[in-house]
Structures are given as C-alpha cells and as structure tokens.
C-alpha cells in the first residue's frame, strides 16, 4: 500500500454583514497517509460525463497516460512521480497529470481521514451535476470539484494538483498565495450557499514524491471525526489569518464559470438557495439519486463490451488489463473491471486491508460496480481466485 505525505489544516471563516471577512487556518500536523493507487485510478475512470458517449479508447489511453507518470511502491513506500518525463511534457499534459493526481489523492485521502463509506454516500462532479441541482448551486462564479452526499450533510471538495520543483515539498510556514486566493473564493462561495461545508486539498508533485495540503473546516459535522493517529509531526506554525476581499456587487452578476457547466435540457427551473441545512441536504441527496440511472446505464454499456474475467459473490465481472506504457516502458498495469450489478462491500474493511502495508497485498479497489487493480508488470498477474480472496477479506 502506497502513501502520500499529508499536512492537515483546520480553518474557520469569520463572517460579517457583507459575507466572509477573514479566514484563519491552523496547522494540525503532518505524516504519512495511506493512499491506494487503485483508488486514484478508480475515481479518474469515472471523471468523464457519463451522460455522453464514453469512448473506451479514450478512457484506456488516459489511464495509461496517468500510470506512465505516477507509480506506486510496495509496502509502505510513497507514491512516486516521473519528474523528468513530466517536466519534458507539454503544459496541457502536465496539467492533466497533476489535476488527475490531485482529484484521486483528494478522494482517497479524505476517505482515509474520516472513514467515509463510498457507495453509501453519493458523489458527483460539479461539472456534471444533475439538472435539478442547478437551482441549488449558482451557475456562475466559483464551483468546487466534487460534491459528497454524507449522512452529516452535503460537503463540497476542491482538488488542486501542482508540480513543485523544491527540495522542501511543503511550502514553509503559511500557505502559498495561490492557496490563499482559492480559500478566499471558497469562503465567500460557502457563505453565499448558506454556510455550505467544504474542504480543499492541494497536491504537490515532485522528486520527493507526492505531498498534499488538506484544509478542513473547523465546525463542519462531516469533518468532525478526523483521525489523527497517522500524524508523526504535530503542527508548530502560528495561525495563518488573512482578510477576504469584499465582493463587488456590481460584478457578481457578470462572473463567468471557471469551468464548463453541463446540464441537461430538461433541467428544473431555478430556485433560491434559502432553507435549512437539513432541507438542502435532502434536496442534494434527491437530485444525486436522479443521476444513478445514468451511471448504471453507462456501466451496462461498458459491461457489454468487455470480456469475462470471473465472478464475485455470484455476479459476473468483465473487463481488461491496461498497461501504463503511454510514455516509455510500463511499470504498472491496471485491471479495469465492471460488475454486472452492485455487490455489498465492507468499504471500511477494504481500507483497513489496504492500509495494512504488507508487500503481499493486492492494490485492489471496488467502488459501486467499478473494480480497479494496479500491480507491477514485472510480477505475474494475480489469479481471479486471489482477487476474490482480497475483496472478501
């Protein structure tokens, strides 16, 4: 099981009559956080708009490209980056690899930090939110990357990935100017959406491996159960406090989205975002549930095109192996499989197994109907019996 070096911050937003007025962040500590490379691949394999045609050639190429730059390590080793190859690549390839890594690490790390239950809680991208959520979240201005539907309420997740060419991978002392600017925007976004809970991760890719700054709200129920046993260096930096620029009401209506917002033609009419947190959470859960048939239809199409691998809990599994050889010789290959239907899985047991950090464990991750397994190309492919044994614990 690989790991990343994580540094966690707790932040609070000070509010005034005009909205967010200041943000204060306090470093909690840092240490190695287990992150499955299979989980990183899993979330990126579903990052496309499933309402449109999913071209498996494109999907396979993108997975191969990601694995050409990012590599796992046996045992307790850290996720690594082929920095010479990354630095030799064009800007859009560097951004693709960095953002994919940021998205995957954010999701995998957050689940490890809070022991959330994927599969039980909904997860959706802000770029492809169900149409009925358009009235809940503004169509213009800032939009985070992911929306988690948790029992404690909806939680937005913001992911950033950046190449960092420094010996000291974590910026010393306070956060960077770019992190400050993004926290300012997210703080105002939260206030504008009835104090919507959110967190932000900032992944750094460098010769020292992969590092991640994670900024967590201090008073959000969804992040109340933070695990701290992995921390090996308590935070020592003084609080980082900065003022949030006052929004200009004359420009608010002219703000453009920072990314494409794709909605269905049958979107529900817009409504205001007023109401209690419970009502908002119920609305989000209802709207996300409307996207489930779309996801299932995409999984069915993918399932019908693949070869049979075996069965798991009596359900047929189909898929293929994809080599990470888009850039040079492959170090890893990934099995991307689709189950014929959903099978109940103990996700917490799955994460505990991955976090055991033993060399003989498979890096296997099952979310919904999508199964991913990453293993080195210089070792024999695992038998299907071994895959079942790992999944069953």
């Amino acid at each position: 099981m690989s790991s990343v070096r994580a540094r966690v911050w707790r932040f609070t937003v000070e509010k005034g009559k005009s909205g967010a007025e200041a943000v204060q962040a306090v470093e909690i500590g840092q240490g190695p956080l287990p992150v499955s490379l299979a989980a990183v691949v899993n979330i990126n394999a579903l990052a496309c708009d499933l309402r449109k045609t999913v071209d498996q050639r494109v999907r396979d190429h993108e997975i191969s490209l990601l694995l050409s730059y990012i590599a796992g390590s046996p045992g307790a080793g850290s996720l690594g980056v082929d920095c010479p190859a990354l630095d030799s690549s064009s800007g859009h390839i560097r951004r693709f690899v960095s953002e994919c890594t940021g998205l995957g690490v954010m999701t995998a790390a957050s689940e490890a930090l809070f022991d959330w239950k994927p599969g039980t809680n909904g997860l959706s991208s802000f770029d492809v939110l169900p149409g009925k959520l358009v009235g809940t979240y503004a169509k213009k201005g800032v939009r985070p990357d992911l929306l988690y539907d948790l029992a404690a309420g909806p939680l937005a997740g913001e992911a950033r990935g950046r190449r960092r060419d420094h010996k000291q991978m974590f910026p010393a002392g306070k956060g960077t100017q770019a992190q400050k600017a993004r926290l300012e925007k997210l703080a105002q976004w939260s206030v504008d959406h009835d104090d919507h809970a959110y967190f932000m991760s900032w992944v750094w890719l460098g010769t020292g491996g992969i590092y991640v700054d994670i900024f967590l709200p201090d008073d959000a129920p969804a992040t109340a159960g933070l695990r701290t046993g992995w921390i090996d260096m308590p935070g020592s930096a003084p609080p980082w406090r900065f003022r949030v620029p006052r929004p200009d009401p004359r420009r608010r209506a002219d703000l453009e989205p920072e990314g494409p917002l794709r909605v269905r033609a049958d979107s529900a009419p817009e409504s205001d975002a007023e109401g209690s947190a419970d009502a908002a959470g119920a609305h989000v859960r209802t709207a996300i549930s409307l996207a489930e048939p779309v996801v299932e239809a995409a999984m069915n199409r993918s399932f019908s095109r693949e070869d049979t691998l075996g069965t798991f809990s009596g359900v047929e599994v189909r898929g293929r192996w994809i080599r990470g050889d888009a850039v040079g010789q492959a170090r890893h290959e990934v099995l991307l499989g689709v189950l014929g239907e959903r099978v109940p899985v103990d996700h917490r047991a799955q994460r505990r197994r991955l976090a055991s950090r033993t060399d003989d464990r498979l890096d296997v991750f099952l979310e919904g109907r999508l199964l991913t397994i990453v293993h080195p190309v210089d070792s024999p492919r695992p038998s299907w019996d071994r895959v079942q044994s790992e999944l069953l614990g």
Side-chain angles (χ1 to χ4, degrees):
M1 176 63 171
S2 299
S3 64
V4 298
R5 186 76 181 179
R7 180 170 65 171
V8 172
W9 304 73
R10 282 286 199 185
F11 70 88
T12 55
V13 177
E14 301 171 18
K15 293 179 292 184
K17 293 181 180 180
S18 61
E21 290 192 344
V23 174
Q24 177 170 289
V26 178
E27 180 187 342
I28 301 300
Q30 59 177 277
L33 198 64
V35 170
S36 161
L37 185 54
V40 172
V41 172
N42 196 292
I43 187 63
N44 279 286
L46 286 175
C48 57
D49 189 345
L50 298 178
R51 295 190 297 265
K52 299 182 178 180
T53 300
V54 179
D55 191 323
Q56 290 174 279
R57 299 170 302 169
V58 175
R59 180 204 64 189
D60 294 357
H61 177 69
E62 290 182 347
I63 291 174
S64 175
L65 188 61
L66 179 61
L67 285 178
S68 295
Y69 292 93
I70 306 300
S73 300
S78 61
L79 284 181
V81 185
D82 188 343
C83 288
L86 190 63
D87 293 340
S88 300
S89 303
S90 60
H92 66 277
I93 294 297
R94 289 198 300 270
R95 288 189 292 272
F96 169 81
V97 174
S98 298
E99 293 295 341
C100 285
T101 306
L103 182 67
V105 169
M106 177 187 73
T107 304
S110 60
E111 291 171 354
L113 283 172
F114 301 105
D115 206 18
W116 293 340
K117 293 181 180 179
T120 301
N121 305 298
L123 178 64
S124 184
S125 166
F126 269 85
D127 280 345
V128 291
L129 285 176
K132 290 186 179 296
L133 279 180
V134 176
T136 301
Y137 297 103
K139 292 188 292 183
K140 296 183 178 182
V142 173
R143 288 177 298 105
D145 295 303
L146 294 177
L147 178 63
Y148 296 82
D149 174 26
L150 305 174
L155 178 70
E158 171 81 355
R160 284 291 185 269
R162 296 291 185 269
R163 168 74 169 96
R164 181 169 169 81
D165 190 15
H166 292 74
K167 289 184 178 180
Q168 182 173 329
M169 288 299 294
F170 281 133
K174 300 177 180 179
T176 66
Q177 182 61 34
Q179 289 174 330
K180 172 180 175 291
R182 196 59 186 171
L183 282 171
E184 289 174 354
K185 292 182 178 180
L186 288 170
Q188 191 59 54
W189 174 89
S190 173
V191 173
D192 290 343
H193 290 83
D194 295 331
D195 296 330
H196 197 299
Y198 68 95
F199 72 102
M200 183 179 77
S201 67
W202 206 280
V203 172
W204 306 104
L205 292 79
T207 55
I210 295 178
Y211 289 61
V212 57
D213 271 315
I214 303 175
F215 295 85
L216 304 169
D218 198 33
D219 55 354
T223 62
L226 174 65
R227 292 183 168 187
T228 58
W230 55 274
I231 293 178
D232 61 14
M233 185 182 299
S236 58
W240 177 32
R241 185 181 184 277
F242 52 87
R243 297 195 64 80
V244 176
R246 181 168 297 184
D248 186 348
R250 295 172 300 177
R251 298 184 63 247
R252 291 180 64 80
D254 297 329
L255 292 175
E256 293 298 328
E258 295 190 354
L261 177 62
R262 300 184 287 271
V263 297
R264 296 180 301 194
D266 60 345
S267 296
E270 292 190 32
S271 61
D272 59 38
E274 299 296 326
S276 67
D278 290 341
H283 181 61
V284 170
R285 283 188 287 274
T286 299
I288 288 180
S289 69
L290 295 176
E292 292 180 359
V294 177
V295 176
E296 292 302 308
M299 292 293 102
N300 289 337
R301 290 192 297 271
S302 180
F303 181 81
S304 65
R305 298 168 185 159
E306 301 289 3
D307 297 327
T308 299
L309 299 169
T311 61
F312 173 59
S313 295
V315 174
E316 186 178 8
V317 183
R318 298 181 183 181
R320 71 179 75 180
W321 286 95
I322 304 168
R323 293 177 68 87
D325 57 0
V327 180
Q329 186 174 358
R331 294 182 295 268
H332 294 82
E333 63 178 351
V334 58
L335 174 66
L336 193 64
V338 181
L339 278 65
E341 61 186 66
R342 290 176 179 264
V343 173
V345 176
D346 186 341
H347 290 91
R348 286 174 174 162
Q350 178 177 249
R351 286 197 295 271
R352 286 194 297 269
R353 183 173 66 252
L354 287 171
S356 63
R357 300 188 179 189
T358 56
D359 293 346
D360 59 341
R361 291 288 192 187
L362 289 180
D363 189 357
V364 53
F365 193 83
L366 175 61
E367 167 58 17
R369 293 173 59 183
L370 187 64
L371 170 69
T372 47
I373 302 173
V374 177
H375 90 103
V377 296
D378 57 2
S379 62
R381 288 178 177 173
S383 66
W384 188 252
D385 287 342
R386 185 184 176 191
V387 173
Q388 287 194 87
S389 176
E390 291 278 354
L391 288 172
L392 293 171

